[in-house]
Amino acid sequence: MSSKPFDFTRLVNLASRRLGASVMSASDEFYTSKDVVLDPAEPIRDDTRFTDRGPWIDGWLTRRRREPGIEWLTLTLAQAGLIEGCEIDFRHFEGNHPELISIDACLLPLLTPVNRFTVDRFLWTQIVPPTRVEPGTINRFDILSSYRYTHLRFNLHPDGGFARLRVWGVIVRERLEGEIDLAALENGAYCDGVSDETFGSVHNMMMPGRGENAADGWKTRRLRGEPGYEWADIQLPAEGLIRRIDVDTSFYRGDFPPFCSLEDGMTGAPLLKPTELRGDFPHRLQPTVLNVPTRRVRLRIYPDGGVGRFRLLGQLTNRGREAHRLLLRNTLPPPDAVAWFEQSIRNEEWARQMTSSRPFASMDQMREMGERIAGSLGLDFDAEALRAKLQL
């Protein structure tokens, strides 16, 4: 169970349907459908409802297992991501909850078909060992892993069910090329600090697509007194250059912020001076200062109100692209990392030593380590060719 002071629920829900997550398969769906576990609504209990198979359950529930073994459910995450923690909601599951639960993970191409007949063929890594659960409440699990994954398998020992799943972390996309939205959750951005979220999560305004209504955005309380503004700190996926700032106040007519501004989150340098906003309008704004590399920004709204969508159109800097490539190498699970390094030098021992030498602080350090290990193994290699391959 969670014991860290860091609240991982401040991160992105990688099990969000709106970001592309889905339940791929389950060992049993006798009582209820597996898909309900991703429902964003809170689970409810209604003892007056029945189906032709028994009581109605707002969650996923298996039959009673009468032979040795376990039941399981397989989840495809929205994108490959670094997982910090997981929430499994057992509210209204008391007496039909599993005794223990464990979680496995693997990294697969997102279009790989996953079903009950193929899950055992994948190279699963256990990220949560069999752990006793507390019925009737939300159970939190820290995921102490430095690697990115695309699929999770939740194992019930021996059977039972749960109401909801949430998987908290940060998306790590394989490609971030050309002009992209540097503030999009789906591209790896996230908000790690916000002044207020009374009427709407700050991550709503970073979701894909247009807002659906006034509840589908970031909306604050009515601010009274100092400091005179509300704010949100947004971590970009890597260092980038902002070319355009979109602030969409659609559906916010009597509660839009009259002004907004943007600043570099590290230096405080202004990127957009205080700019007047209109209600129920998709603003397309130009930065006050162009060509300022930034890794983190602070959006201020004066004094309060709602923003439906927030976009930062731009591209990664050379330093940002290199940092992103390094992140991809450092977060490959070990078996995948060995396979990737072997593409540079066809020597398994060299690839294993490179894998165990991670994380690398820079691409230069990775290249230097590659040459050093190859030399210690007496391998014949072309230094320039090796550097080029590791750069890919």
Side-chain angles (χ1 to χ4, degrees), residues 280-310:
D280 196 24
F281 189 79
H283 304 81
R284 305 291 182 262
L285 309 173
Q286 294 298 315
T288 304
V289 182
L290 290 171
N291 300 319
V292 177
T294 184
R295 179 71 172 82
R296 178 184 175 89
V297 299
R298 169 168 283 195
L299 172 67
R300 299 180 191 236
I301 56 174
Y302 303 85
D304 52 38
V307 176
R309 288 295 184 269
F310 175 67

Side-chain angles (χ1 to χ4, degrees), residues 214-252:
D216 187 22
W218 173 43
K219 185 177 176 182
T220 74
R221 62 195 168 181
R222 299 188 182 206
L223 187 63
R224 313 296 188 192
E226 297 299 330
Y229 58 83
E230 301 286 5
W231 54 268
D233 288 337
I234 297 173
Q235 191 80 12
L236 309 187
E239 184 185 82
L241 296 172
I242 300 170
R243 303 299 186 193
R244 195 180 83 196
I245 303 165
D246 291 356
V247 181
D248 190 347
T249 59
S250 295
F251 305 108
Y252 297 96

